[in-house]
Amino acid sequence: PQQRGYDFERFLKDLFDAFRLAARNPFRLVGEQIDGSFELAGETYLVEAKWLNRKVGVAELGAFHSKLDQKAHWARGLFISFGGFADEGLQGFGRGRRLVGMDGRDLYESLTRGIAIDRVIARKVRHAAETGEIFAPIDQLIR
């Protein structure tokens, strides 16, 4: 599972690089690891990437958000959970946060339908800004 996670991080960096998002490899800071970062529309996004055999819950979302709280107030986050997000985790985490979520289905749909990943992320950011919800599936955002 750990190797799968590292491979997933490399895949995401390559994907962000393919769309010229100035991606950065995973990096360590004192007491924490950041799974990468990229730039989109002049904004810096820190990445949390999880490939688990379950949906991500409130604990993982909260842990990543606390990492964001330790960074510059303008930093944003993209939490990518290959297995998706638990509904109760999203509800428990709350609204109006500095991160957006993406799941494996979003990645699959983006790649198979030829939808640029930067466009998907931009739609997710706009949805979060307008509704306060950190996650909406790609089918709801791009028709």
Side-chain angles (χ1 to χ4, degrees), residues 15-135:
L15 179 63
F16 297 147
D17 280 342
F19 287 91
R20 296 185 177 97
L21 298 178
R24 181 174 177 192
N25 283 315
F27 55 95
R28 287 192 149 307
L29 300 171
V30 176
E32 69 181 12
Q33 173 165 333
I34 304 296
D35 294 337
S37 69
F38 64 91
E39 295 176 6
L40 175 65
E43 301 286 343
T44 299
Y45 289 80
L46 302 180
V47 175
E48 180 73 11
K50 295 282 186 195
W51 186 321
L52 305 171
N53 292 327
R54 61 176 174 76
K55 294 182 177 205
V56 162
V58 70
E60 292 95 350
L61 290 166
F64 182 50
H65 199 266
S66 69
K67 289 180 185 181
L68 288 174
D69 281 343
Q70 300 300 313
K71 308 301 179 281
H73 72 276
W74 61 82
R76 296 178 176 188
L78 177 65
F79 196 118
I80 305 171
S81 170
F82 190 82
F85 299 92
D87 289 337
E88 55 276 357
L90 292 171
Q91 291 170 2
F93 182 62
R95 299 166 65 89
R97 303 301 186 114
R98 292 181 10 208
L99 65 92
V100 294
M102 178 176 279
D103 65 10
R105 181 89 178 155
D106 291 330
L107 292 171
Y108 174 81
E109 290 292 327
S110 172
L111 294 170
T112 60
R113 291 171 51 189
I115 304 168
I117 199 70
D118 53 340
R119 180 174 174 221
V120 174
I121 297 167
R123 289 285 179 98
K124 287 178 170 289
V125 168
R126 183 172 185 169
H127 177 81
E130 292 173 349
T131 67
E133 297 173 349
I134 68 160
F135 178 74

